Amino acid sequence: MNRKYCKLLLLTFFSILSLSVSSQNLLVGIGGGGGTYQMNPIKDFNSTIVELLPFKPELTDNFPPYFLYQGEILYQFPRYLAVGAQFYTTSTGARLTLGDYSGHYTLDNIQQGLFPGVRILIGKAPAGSNGLNLSLAGGMSFSRMTSHERLEVYDESVKDDQKYRSEGWYIQPGISFFYTVWSGLKVSATGSYYYGFEGQYHLPDQKDQKLFNSQSNDPIKPQWEGVRLNLTAYWSFVRNP
Amino acid sequence: MRRTFFHSLIFIFLTFIGCTFEPDGDHFIELHEQGVVPEIGVDLNFATDTIYVQKSEWIRFSYSNNGDQVNWAQLVIDGEETAINDTPSGGLELRWYLEGKSKTVFPLELRLFTKSQTGSIADKLGAEGFLISKTWTLVVRNPDMMGVRMKKAELTDGTLKLTWDMFKGTDFKEYRIYREIDYYQQSFVQVATITAQEQTSFIDQNYHGERSRYWVVVNGQFYGPSVSVEGPLPELKAVNLTNGDIQLSWKKPPFYKNLKGYRIAYRNDTGSIEPIGEITDTGIESFTIPNPKFAFSYEFYLVMIPKSESYYDDWALNQFLSTRAGSTYGKITPIFTQAYAGSEPVSFLLNNYQRIIAFDHRSFAPLREFGYGVNISWFDVSSNNHYLVCKLNTPATIVLEDLVNSTNTKKLNLSSTFPEMGHIASVSDQGTGIVLNGQTAVLFDYVHEQKIAEITLQFNNLFANKISASGNFFFCETNAYEYFRYKDQQIVRLPDFNPDKDYVLHADYLPGQQEKLIQSFSNRVEMIDCNTWHVEKQWTFSEPITEVYNLDMKNGQLFYRQGNQLRLLNVFTGNREDLCTTGESYYLNKWMLFYNHGQILWGQGRGIDVTGTNN
């Protein structure tokens, strides 16, 4: 899914929504947070690259936790249930690098993920008072791996950029705590765990050209498993009686 | 206001949603830029700076290294033909088409671009390193010139060392060393196979002095010139020790380490080579012949006994790997053709028919000599050692030597007394003897120069005769033996004691009050009392007597030969004694040996002690 297209879609959606004064039991949330990402297949892939290289670069970044950005619309039922759609995105990456008097080498591997899905909240909040809800989200995952490789030896240089795509799906159980700031504004803090079922990376528009680890013959795919922590601000649009 | 805040939040969200993770960090390492030239072990299919290539269609050059320190390698011939391989470890092959090239000398260059060993990125990628090159000279040769020369076959440190030129061609596989040996059933034998091209020498532990040629064949196809070697076999010397024993001596050969030892042998009477002994220590350089045979002309062999595999059988060893020397056993004595003695330990030896040598057995040295300027045909000595009479080749001339009083010595010209003078022999203690005049045997007094008596013989071929010490008995050997007695101033014929006409080997008289005639046949010896003229004693022999040489008058020892054994028979006691051995079938006629005073003399100039005490 094209990132720009997604942005445009979201912008249009929220713009329309912000103009609406219709009485809906809707909660529109925007938030952010952070997550951890295992990325074991990609890490193995980097290890393979290091083994195959005649020189041995060092790993200066290895898929650290990073920010995530989330938006969602929830329809809250009168009691104990809210259902809605959510969307969040996050990224992480790794860097292999080595430099000496004769040259410099860098290989950046950037992982990006888009996670549209459905969310279900069970509990008193957000419809009622403040409190904890059980949260369960699930949906599609769209991953993108971009590698940038640079090699400079004396006055010669070579660069190579590659892009790969992957699709999958996920579930993400968690717990959310809702707090009403004022009648139209709620905030929630959510802690959840991402379980993904990712597909193998492939060339863009060529799903049959899949990426394998040449040493282990294992498929190379993202692994977004990890903890998600985020804060979300909700605007509520409650129907006037 | 809430809407504005909401819109702002949306705007911020949409802004941040485009932010993606950007990896950062750098890892820079300090390295020495100088680098170290790596050790390169190369494996070429050629090993010398000048390479001989056979004139053929294709030549192949190859190289491989034993590690990953080479980025690329290149072979260049004459600046034109090239082959390059950039595999870090591995090989390179250049096939060179030789046909049509007029030149015969070409440069060959190997260029290697090695790692710099700085550990840098450029080094790891092969973008920096050291360029190493080496050149060789290719020389095109005809196939028959590709072989290597066997330079020398050198005897050193007790063995044979072969050295040859190193093969300068390509694709060396092996040297094969071949050897051709005289008298061996195969035309040549393979001595060694050597697979190291740098090895250009070999120790042949199978060389024992055989006449040989060595050459090298490379890769089974390139033959080189050969080198010959023979022996040298040690020079064998044979000397007589003071006691007459024969001692052989030699210097150990220069290939002695290849020998197990030596064999001492001699050529026996049948012509075969018969071993005497074996020596297992090649450092020994002498050998004394045990139990030597007397009156035997030895041809000694010193035979090399190989330690390892030998291509020669025994016959060939004796023929080709032996050195020879001749010798005889015994102390040196005068050479003689006839010998007589009286009763003293002095033997009279006719030397070269020109002089008579009186040989003293006690001192084992000549005592005196008698010579007359002309050849002497015959002589004898009286048993009392008083008179010596000899017949000269000058017609009818006799010399009477008075051994007691030399003033009585005289030369007699008896041509008028004996106009048909023939043979004479022997002299009595009285100075009388038998002179043959025609067919008449005359008893003649040499001292007083007068005839005493005479008798006509049955035959006129006189071979031998003997007169007893008293002068009263004598015999003449003509076609048969005739026996006579002088008595009452006349000579009478005595009966023949050999009715069967057995061949008489020897006859002689023992002096004494009762004179005895000792007569020897092949199967018996008889003692005949001269006065009674009957056989007093007889000794029989189961093994035939081959020859009887002389009768030792003083001790009654009859010296004779049976087979290869020389013996004594004491006619007084009948005791028989073995003295020594001689050649088995070597014929020693009755004049060649003489026994006296416990010693045997051989007419070839040797003498030995055969008994420890003097009789």
Side-chain angles (χ1 to χ4, degrees), chain A residues 13-31:
Chain A
F13 173 75
F14 285 115
S15 296
I16 295 175
L17 189 65
S18 68
L19 298 174
S20 171
V21 292
S22 60
S23 57
Q24 307 276 344
N25 290 335
L26 291 176
L27 290 175
V28 177
I30 297 172

Side-chain angles (χ1 to χ4, degrees), chain B residues 172-351:
Chain B
F172 170 81
K173 295 184 180 60
E174 61 183 14
Y175 298 114
R176 287 188 196 169
I177 311 299
Y178 287 96
R179 174 185 179 190
E180 186 179 52
I181 310 168
D182 275 359
Y183 184 71
Y184 187 57
Q185 56 185 0
Q186 298 176 0
S187 58
F188 55 86
V189 293
Q190 184 172 332
V191 173
T193 300
I194 295 161
T195 55
Q197 189 172 1
E198 297 75 22
Q199 180 177 343
T200 57
S201 66
F202 176 76
I203 300 295
D204 185 7
Q205 297 181 335
N206 226 14
Y207 178 76
H208 321 100
E210 303 93 332
R211 185 165 59 199
S212 310
R213 280 195 316 118
Y214 289 90
W215 66 93
V216 183
V217 179
V218 181
N219 294 351
Q221 56 176 326
F222 302 124
Y223 287 71
S226 65
V227 67
S228 298
V229 61
E230 181 178 1
L233 297 175
E235 181 186 358
L236 183 64
K237 295 180 181 177
V239 297
N240 291 102
L241 302 176
T242 52
N243 62 354
D245 284 342
I246 302 172
Q247 184 181 67
L248 303 179
S249 64
W250 61 90
K251 292 295 181 191
K252 66 184 180 186
F255 46 86
Y256 68 93
K257 285 189 177 178
N258 296 347
L259 300 178
K260 188 167 61 176
Y262 312 102
R263 180 185 304 138
I264 308 296
Y266 76 103
R267 186 181 294 279
N268 62 21
D269 297 297
T270 64
S272 303
I273 308 302
E274 185 175 323
I276 295 175
E278 297 241 349
I279 299 169
T280 56
D281 181 355
T282 54
I284 292 177
E285 296 179 324
S286 67
F287 180 83
T288 302
I289 304 297
N291 304 317
K293 299 180 182 183
F294 183 66
F296 181 78
S297 293
Y298 279 101
E299 183 184 20
F300 291 109
Y301 286 70
L302 177 70
V303 184
M304 310 297 118
I305 307 300
K307 181 187 291 184
S308 53
E309 178 190 359
S310 172
Y311 307 111
Y312 281 169
D313 56 15
D314 280 346
W315 182 90
L317 286 179
N318 293 333
Q319 183 73 13
F320 300 113
L321 290 191
S322 68
T323 183
R324 303 164 199 182
S327 184
T328 53
Y329 168 48
K331 296 178 283 188
I332 293 176
T333 64
I335 296 173
F336 62 89
T337 51
Q338 295 173 28
Y340 293 103
S343 299
E344 289 182 357
V346 176
S347 297
F348 293 84
L349 313 174
L350 179 60
N351 175 257

Side-chain angles (χ1 to χ4, degrees), chain A residues 3 18 91 99 101 112 154, chain B residues 7 17 20-21 24 27 121 128:
Chain A
R3 172 166 289 278
S18 68
S91 65
Y101 70 88
Q112 294 171 303
Y154 292 115
Chain B
H7 288 164
I17 201 171
T20 58
F21 178 83
D24 65 359
H27 181 68
I121 293 174
E128 71 174 21

Side-chain angles (χ1 to χ4, degrees), chain B residues 341-346 348 381-388 403-404 429:
Chain B
S343 299
E344 289 182 357
V346 176
F348 293 84
V381 178
S382 64
S383 63
N384 61 357
N385 291 97
H386 189 159
Y387 298 104
L388 181 146
L403 300 177
V404 175
D429 292 352

Side-chain angles (χ1 to χ4, degrees), chain A:
Chain A
M1 194 175 193
N2 189 283
R3 172 166 289 278
K4 289 181 180 177
Y5 178 73
C6 179
K7 283 184 182 177
L8 184 61
L9 186 64
L10 284 172
L11 180 62
T12 305
F13 173 75
F14 285 115
S15 296
I16 295 175
L17 189 65
S18 68
L19 298 174
S20 171
V21 292
S22 60
S23 57
Q24 307 276 344
N25 290 335
L26 291 176
L27 290 175
V28 177
I30 297 172
T36 65
Y37 318 103
Q38 290 187 1
M39 292 295 172
N40 286 334
I42 313 300
K43 291 178 181 177
D44 292 343
F45 182 51
N46 281 344
S47 299
T48 300
I49 292 174
V50 171
E51 281 186 40
L52 295 177
L53 285 174
F55 47 88
K56 302 304 170 190
E58 287 290 318
L59 206 61
T60 54
D61 265 328
N62 195 19
F63 304 107
Y66 197 62
F67 301 109
L68 60 87
Y69 309 98
Q70 181 188 7
E72 62 183 17
I73 299 176
L74 294 173
Y75 178 81
Q76 60 182 39
F77 289 90
R79 293 168 68 179
Y80 305 118
L81 181 66
V83 177
Q86 74 166 11
F87 169 86
Y88 76 92
T89 180
T90 185
S91 65
T92 185
R95 169 171 280 188
L96 291 168
T97 182
L98 179 68
D100 58 43
Y101 70 88
S102 68
H104 192 265
Y105 175 80
T106 305
L107 174 61
D108 290 338
N109 187 310
I110 303 167
Q111 300 286 324
Q112 294 171 303
L114 303 174
F115 306 95
V118 174
R119 190 180 184 197
I120 297 174
L121 286 169
I122 299 174
K124 289 183 177 179
S129 60
N130 304 331
L132 291 175
N133 285 53
L134 294 176
S135 169
L136 179 65
M140 298 288 294
S141 63
F142 298 93
S143 303
R144 176 187 301 169
M145 180 170 76
T146 305
S147 70
H148 302 289
E149 190 174 26
R150 301 286 182 272
L151 174 65
E152 296 171 5
V153 178
Y154 292 115
D155 54 355
E156 299 285 333
S157 66
V158 174
K159 64 179 181 181
D160 181 47
D161 298 329
Q162 297 288 336
K163 291 184 179 179
Y164 304 93
R165 302 286 171 83
S166 168
E167 299 80 28
W169 57 279
Y170 71 94
I171 60 171
Q172 191 170 329
I175 296 176
S176 295
F177 178 79
F178 277 84
Y179 180 76
T180 303
V181 178
W182 62 76
S183 61
L185 179 66
K186 295 177 187 291
V187 294
S188 74
T190 303
S192 61
Y193 195 88
Y194 178 98
Y195 292 95
F197 304 90
E198 316 298 342
Q200 190 173 356
Y201 272 119
H202 59 83
L203 290 177
D205 301 324
Q206 297 180 58
K207 289 191 177 181
D208 58 336
Q209 301 296 313
K210 297 186 186 299
L211 190 64
F212 284 90
N213 185 320
S214 61
Q215 226 176 24
S216 62
N217 287 327
D218 292 334
I220 297 175
K221 56 185 178 181
Q223 191 181 34
W224 296 104
E225 273 78 357
V227 175
R228 306 286 186 268
L229 298 173
N230 58 283
L231 289 174
T232 309
Y234 294 92
W235 276 259
S236 71
F237 298 89
V238 179
R239 182 191 293 276
N240 293 324

Side-chain angles (χ1 to χ4, degrees), chain B residues 40-46 60-66 70 72-75 85 87-88 90-94 110-112:
Chain B
I40 305 293
V42 300
D43 182 17
L44 303 163
N45 68 327
F46 45 90
R60 184 185 68 85
F61 301 96
S62 65
Y63 135 87
S64 63
N65 65 23
N66 60 357
V70 175
W72 55 261
Q74 184 182 42
L75 280 167
N85 185 6
T87 303
L92 172 66
E93 182 176 294
L94 168 62
L110 173 65
R111 299 171 186 162
L112 300 177

